[in-house]
Amino acid sequence: MWGGRFTSSPDAIMDEINASIDVDRHLYAQDIAASKAHAAMLAAQGIITAEDAAKIAHGLDTILLEIEKGTFTFDRALEDVHMNVENRLTQLIGPAAGRLHTARSRNDQVATDFKLWIRDAIDRIDKALAAYQRALAEKAVDHAATVMPGFTHLQTAQPVTFGHHLLAYVEMAARDRGRLADARRRLNESPLGSAALAGTSFPLDREKTAHALGFDRPAANSLDAVSDRDFVLETLAAAAITAVHLSRFAEEIVIWTSPLAALVRLSDKFTTGSSIMPQKRNPDAAELVRAKVGRIIGALSALLIVMKGLPLAYQKDMQEDKEGAMDALATLALSIAAMTGMVRDMTPDTARMKKAAGEGYSTATDLADWLVRNLNMPFRDAHRITGNIVAKATEAGTPLHRMPLAAMQAIEPRITDGVFEVLSVDRSVKSRTSLGGTAPKNVRAAAKKWLRKLENEGG
């Protein structure tokens, strides 16, 4: 492929380190689509004949069918997907195949192919995240009034509802989708026609190929177009944040399903057993999602390290952009699917959740708020008095809602029996009616709003 400049073959080790076909063969559909667009443009511009363009298009369609049927043989000696396709095209249509590479380089070719691949991957992940959001919102509707403990520092803080907790992850996934959409929008410029680095002297219509491939516009600078891998980095950054969100939820599922917490149960579909302990039910799906985030963050870190020292324009180092990214995005898609399955599968123990919600004096803030509202007390004073009451209740081993009124009045004489209206966990969550609060009516409305939005997105 290098023509007359070289007089001998590369060393076997050079062949091994230089070949990318094991990875970039996954770009075959994008490579063929970009080649068809390029050939059609060359013909429209009078750079090649319409007859040759028709032969090229027919040959490329044949190759696509062969690859999809599994009858195409990828040859490592041909180094990459581009040369494998071009070599087979030559076998099929003869000399006309040699005209396809007019006014382009593998530099703009691979940048175009990988942008198309990343764009397709973003679309698939966005669809998966929408399904994940839908599963969460549907579960939230069912459990809008199911009381559970809310935690800070993994200590019981205030009662919330299970539906409210699930909707927090719907919001996270919405931001994840927004970041991916931003990355998609920015990457949607076509490098095709930038050639090796300096553009070309042929009268190309880069707008034509850009629009044929679904890009918004051609990339404006040929040097940037062939050396840019921001689109991979930005997508991996969005993927890493998404994976962190999944991992946080997976960690909670691990905690919730522990017999020590016993707040949620997963069925046999998403748990495994032990080879030695017959009683075990391990939340392995959640644990694996939690672990796989490392691969996704690692792919981002690896590519940042590759790119940080590269001068313009294309460098062979950039060949390392694909394997990690492809693995990371496949891993993310699998993790989203697993989390969606676990959300649909999980069954909360509502009685245990409610009991746990009342432990640890979780309605202490409700007591402090009552003192502020009913006794016109500054919150800091109310906080101190409530702390004294909780200390007395702890000493007596009594929950707040069963604390004798006289015992509370010994600390603050103006307290009336009206305080008991706010000390149960049910009343606590119902009172949290502020925007974004955990009141069941809020949760139900928010979950249904999300379901309507997701339904409208689906057309």
Side-chain angles (χ1 to χ4, degrees):
M1 76 184 79
W2 301 323
R5 175 64 179 86
F6 290 77
T7 58
S8 63
S9 299
D11 188 89
I13 294 298
M14 180 61 193
D15 276 340
E16 185 64 25
I17 197 171
N18 194 47
S20 60
I21 188 62
D22 294 337
V23 175
D24 65 28
R25 65 194 296 170
H26 298 295
L27 301 178
Y28 73 88
Q30 291 79 15
D31 191 68
I32 289 171
S35 290
K36 288 177 69 175
H38 185 65
M41 180 274 296
L42 292 176
Q45 294 299 103
I47 299 170
I48 66 173
T49 67
E51 181 183 1
D52 282 345
K55 288 180 181 178
I56 289 169
H58 178 71
L60 290 170
D61 286 339
T62 300
I63 293 168
L64 180 62
L65 190 61
E66 288 177 350
I67 295 174
E68 290 178 341
K69 284 185 173 180
T71 59
F72 186 94
T73 301
F74 286 98
D75 185 353
R76 286 178 61 83
L78 292 171
E79 192 177 309
D80 58 33
V81 66
H82 321 299
M83 299 311 302
N84 269 267
V85 169
E86 185 174 325
N87 181 69
R88 178 59 177 150
L89 187 63
T90 302
Q91 294 172 0
L92 290 170
I93 69 171
R99 302 190 184 280
L100 174 59
H101 210 53
T102 305
R104 76 174 184 185
S105 161
R106 283 188 298 169
N107 293 355
D108 63 334
Q109 190 176 358
V110 71
T112 302
D113 293 355
F114 202 25
K115 274 196 171 186
L116 293 171
W117 190 94
I118 290 286
R119 193 176 70 185
D120 290 343
I122 288 174
D123 291 345
R124 289 192 298 271
I125 290 170
D126 181 73
K127 185 177 180 181
L129 283 171
Y132 171 58
Q133 287 181 295
R134 191 174 298 108
L136 288 163
E138 287 171 351
K139 187 76 75 171
V141 169
D142 293 340
H143 293 283
T146 298
V147 180
M148 69 173 289
F151 299 96
T152 61
H153 308 276
L154 207 56
Q155 305 294 310
T156 303
Q158 291 177 277
V160 296
T161 69
F162 188 45
H164 191 57
H165 197 110
L166 296 175
L167 287 181
Y169 288 102
V170 176
E171 297 291 336
M172 291 184 212
R175 295 194 296 275
D176 295 330
R177 294 179 67 193
R179 276 181 284 269
L180 288 165
D182 286 345
R184 190 192 195 283
R185 185 164 49 250
R186 262 184 291 281
L187 73 77
N188 213 33
E189 295 183 344
S190 174
L192 194 58
S194 297
L197 74 162
T200 177
S201 58
F202 288 96
L204 303 185
D205 184 349
R206 293 188 61 215
E207 293 280 353
K208 181 178 179 64
T209 51
H211 293 153
L213 294 169
F215 289 111
D216 295 330
R217 63 191 70 84
N221 183 285
S222 60
L223 280 167
D224 178 53
V226 299
S227 62
D228 164 43
R229 291 300 182 270
D230 290 1
F231 66 95
V232 191
L233 290 169
E234 189 171 4
T235 302
L236 286 175
I241 296 170
T242 303
V244 166
H245 289 156
L246 298 177
S247 181
R248 294 181 71 182
F249 193 13
E251 168 72 2
E252 291 195 315
I253 291 173
V254 171
I255 293 169
W256 292 346
T257 56
S258 166
L260 294 174
L263 299 180
V264 164
R265 179 182 173 86
L266 289 173
S267 77
D268 294 351
K269 294 179 181 178
F270 289 94
T271 56
T272 64
S274 164
S275 64
I276 189 172
M277 295 170 285
Q279 84 282 8
K280 293 294 295 296
R281 181 189 290 274
N282 300 323
D284 281 6
E287 291 173 2
L288 287 166
V289 168
R290 186 176 60 184
K292 287 181 185 297
V293 66
R295 287 166 65 174
I296 298 168
I297 294 172
L300 171 61
S301 298
L303 187 54
L304 284 167
I305 293 166
V306 166
M307 296 300 298
K308 58 93 180 169
L310 300 188
L312 298 180
Y314 180 81
Q315 316 290 329
K316 196 69 170 183
D317 311 52
M318 293 181 192
Q319 187 166 290
E320 291 298 312
D321 62 351
K322 297 172 198 66
E323 186 172 9
M326 289 178 171
D327 176 77
L329 296 179
T331 298
L332 178 61
L334 178 60
S335 297
I336 295 168
M339 292 303 296
T340 303
M342 282 186 280
V343 169
R344 295 192 185 284
D345 183 68
M346 65 171 58
T347 303
D349 184 331
T350 56
R352 172 65 188 133
M353 277 187 169
K354 186 172 182 178
K355 182 176 184 296
E359 295 171 352
Y361 301 98
S362 63
T363 58
T365 304
D366 297 274
L367 172 55
D369 288 347
W370 186 91
L371 295 174
V372 170
R373 282 195 307 270
N374 291 273
L375 303 184
N376 197 28
M377 186 180 292
F379 182 78
R380 286 302 171 199
D381 291 344
H383 185 283
R384 174 181 51 79
I385 289 168
T386 299
N388 290 336
I389 292 172
V390 167
K392 184 65 70 174
T394 302
E395 184 181 319
T398 304
L400 277 180
H401 67 282
R402 291 181 180 166
M403 186 81 170
L405 178 61
M408 288 191 275
Q409 289 174 332
I411 296 169
E412 172 47 65
R414 293 177 292 166
I415 294 177
T416 68
D417 60 4
V419 73
F420 293 105
E421 295 179 2
V422 302
L423 295 184
S424 73
V425 292
D426 287 317
R427 290 183 181 272
S428 175
V429 296
K430 286 179 182 177
S431 73
R432 305 295 172 181
T433 56
S434 60
L435 179 65
T438 193
K441 67 175 185 178
N442 287 25
V443 174
R444 196 170 289 108
K448 289 181 177 179
K449 183 178 179 181
W450 267 114
L451 289 172
R452 287 193 299 271
K453 177 177 170 58
L454 292 164
E455 182 67 26
N456 290 336
E457 282 180 7

